[in-house]
Amino acid sequence: MAKDPVRVLVTGAAGQIGYALVPLIARGAMLGPDQPVILHLLDIPPAAESLNGVKMELVDAAFPLLKGVVATTDVVEACTKVNIAVMVGGFPRKEGMERKDVMSKNVSIYKSQASALEQHAAANCKVLVVANPANTNALILKEFAPSIPEKNITCLTRLDHNRALGQIAERLNVQVSDVKNVIIWGNHSSTQYPDVSHATVIAQEGEKSVRELVADDSWLRGDFITTVQQRGAAIIKARKLSSALSAASSACDHIRDWVLGTPEGTWVSMGVYSDGSYSIPAGLIYSFPVTCRNGEWSIVQGLPIDEFSRNKMDSTAEELTEEKTLAYSCLT
C-alpha cells in the first residue's frame, strides 16, 4: 500500500545548499526510496524568481517520489502542515559585521519562522537548523515555538561528523563506511571538539580502535581536530563559495537516521537540547553522540571522558553559553 506523502520544508531553498538539497529529498535520499514527499520551498522576496526556477527544475526532473511542490515567499504558506522542517535560510555574516549584528538579524528571522511553525506545522514536526549560528538559531526557534517538543528541535553537526569520518578514512586508507563512532561535541563552530576516543574501524580481524590504528596521538589531538574545525573555511578558500554539496548530503543523513534509525552499534552526532548529560549545562543546544530509534534520538550514556576531552567539551560549552547570552540580549 502506498505511503502518504511527507511534507518537507526547506527554507533558503533558492540558495546553494537548498539547490543541492531538494533533489536529494525528491530522490529519496532523506526519507527512503518508498516514501513520497511534497516539498515546501521558502525564500525571501528578492529570490522569488530564482525560487520559481528551482521549482521548474524539480518538475523537469520528473522525480517519481515527488508528489507536489509549494514554492513561496510567504512563511505561513511554507510552514502549513509540514512534517519536517530543514532551516537552511539565515543571515550570513558580512565583512565588517560584529557578531551581535549577525545574531540580531538571525534572532529576528528565527523568531518569525518559529511562530509560523508553531501555529501551522503538523503535530510532531521535526526541525533541523542548518543556518549558522546553527546551535543558537535552534535555541531561539525553541524559545518561540514552545508547543514543539524540545526533542524535535535539532541542529546540524552531522557535516562535522562526516568530515571527521572522512579524515580518518583518508589517514588510514580505508573505506569511510568502515569507520564509525566518531563524536562531535558542542558547537558547530571552530570550538567544536571532534573526538575519536571511542571510534573504531572494521578490519578483517574485527573492529579496531582508531587511536590504535592511527598510532599518532599528536596528530589526533592536533592537525586532525583543526582540520575538521576549519574545514568550512578551507572549502570557501578553495571554491570561493561555502560548503553546499556536503552540507546538503549531511542534512539528509541527519534526518534519515533520526526518522529511520541508526544502525545497531553505531551512533551519530546531532545538536540537541542538553539535559545535563556529561555535565554539559542543561538548556543549550549542544552536539552529542546519539542513537535513533522509532523517530526518537537518545544521547549515548556512560562513555568515559579523559581530561583532554573534558577541557575541550567544556570550552565549546562556554562559547555556547556566551552565544545564548548574546542572543537573548538581542530579544530585549
Side-chain angles (χ1 to χ4, degrees):
M1 189 173 158
K3 294 181 176 180
D4 290 334
V6 170
R7 292 179 179 269
V8 182
L9 166 66
V10 177
T11 72
Q16 267 217 100
I17 295 173
Y19 187 71
L21 177 59
V22 293
L24 293 176
I25 301 170
R27 196 174 278 282
M30 179 178 278
L31 295 170
D34 62 346
Q35 178 58 65
V37 293
I38 297 171
L39 281 169
H40 287 228
L41 311 179
L42 175 69
D43 218 310
I44 55 175
E49 192 174 356
S50 178
L51 185 66
N52 190 49
V54 175
K55 180 179 179 178
M56 290 161 66
E57 285 205 71
L58 285 166
V59 170
D60 293 350
F63 294 109
L65 290 172
L66 185 58
K67 302 304 179 187
V69 181
V70 177
T72 183
T73 59
D74 180 87
V75 68
V76 171
E77 184 184 8
C79 291
T80 299
K81 297 183 180 176
V82 296
N83 308 103
I84 291 166
V86 186
M87 317 301 283
V88 179
F91 194 91
R93 188 169 184 171
K94 295 179 178 174
E95 201 171 343
M97 285 184 79
E98 296 295 327
R99 276 179 78 224
K100 181 157 185 177
D101 299 332
V102 185
M103 190 71 77
S104 180
K105 294 274 190 189
N106 280 294
V107 163
S108 66
I109 291 168
Y110 277 81
K111 189 175 171 183
S112 85
Q113 293 184 351
S115 300
L117 282 171
E118 159 120 309
Q119 292 172 52
H120 302 286
N124 209 33
C125 176
K126 286 178 161 58
V127 182
L128 167 61
V129 176
V130 175
N132 289 321
N135 300 58
T136 301
N137 284 344
L139 194 62
I140 293 299
L141 195 147
K142 181 200 161 293
E143 284 295 313
F144 289 96
S147 71
I148 298 177
E150 60 193 32
K151 287 202 79 163
N152 283 26
I153 296 174
T154 65
C155 81
L156 186 71
T157 56
R158 183 61 174 270
L159 176 54
D160 310 297
H161 181 100
N162 288 350
R163 285 168 170 164
L165 292 175
Q167 289 302 305
I168 295 299
E170 285 207 325
R171 178 79 175 195
L172 294 174
N173 195 26
V174 298
Q175 296 298 314
V176 73
S177 54
D178 289 338
V179 187
K180 69 175 190 176
N181 295 351
V182 300
I183 301 168
I184 302 298
W185 298 100
N187 198 1
H188 175 62
S189 76
S190 59
T191 69
Q192 64 176 261
Y193 171 41
D195 178 14
V196 297
S197 306
H198 314 282
T200 60
V201 175
I202 299 166
Q204 284 183 328
E205 56 275 29
E207 283 190 18
K208 291 204 160 187
S209 86
V210 164
R211 280 184 78 175
E212 181 188 341
L213 289 171
V214 170
D216 185 348
D217 273 2
S218 65
W219 181 77
L220 287 172
R221 293 185 167 191
D223 286 352
F224 164 72
I225 289 175
T226 54
T227 297
V228 176
Q229 287 173 334
Q230 296 168 15
R231 188 68 160 187
I235 287 166
I236 289 172
K237 188 176 177 186
R239 286 190 74 227
K240 310 298 181 276
L241 294 164
S242 58
S243 311
L245 177 160
S246 54
S249 180
S250 57
C252 280
D253 291 344
H254 176 113
I255 297 288
R256 185 192 64 243
D257 285 343
W258 188 5
V259 172
L260 302 179
T262 46
E264 192 66 35
T266 299
W267 63 66
V268 295
S269 302
M270 287 171 62
V272 299
Y273 197 66
S274 173
D275 60 0
S277 292
Y278 295 100
S279 302
I280 298 305
L284 297 177
I285 302 271
Y286 187 99
S287 182
F288 288 95
V290 303
T291 55
C292 303
R293 191 173 179 186
N294 299 325
E296 301 279 339
W297 55 263
S298 303
I299 295 172
V300 176
Q301 298 293 343
L303 297 173
I305 304 296
D306 63 21
E307 186 181 1
F308 179 84
S309 295
R310 182 77 264 162
N311 290 337
K312 293 282 189 189
M313 290 161 67
D314 289 346
S315 174
T316 189
E318 283 168 21
E319 182 184 54
L320 280 168
T321 302
E322 288 167 15
E323 276 190 21
K324 180 179 179 179
T325 303
L326 185 61
Y328 280 53
S329 74
C330 297
L331 294 171
T332 52

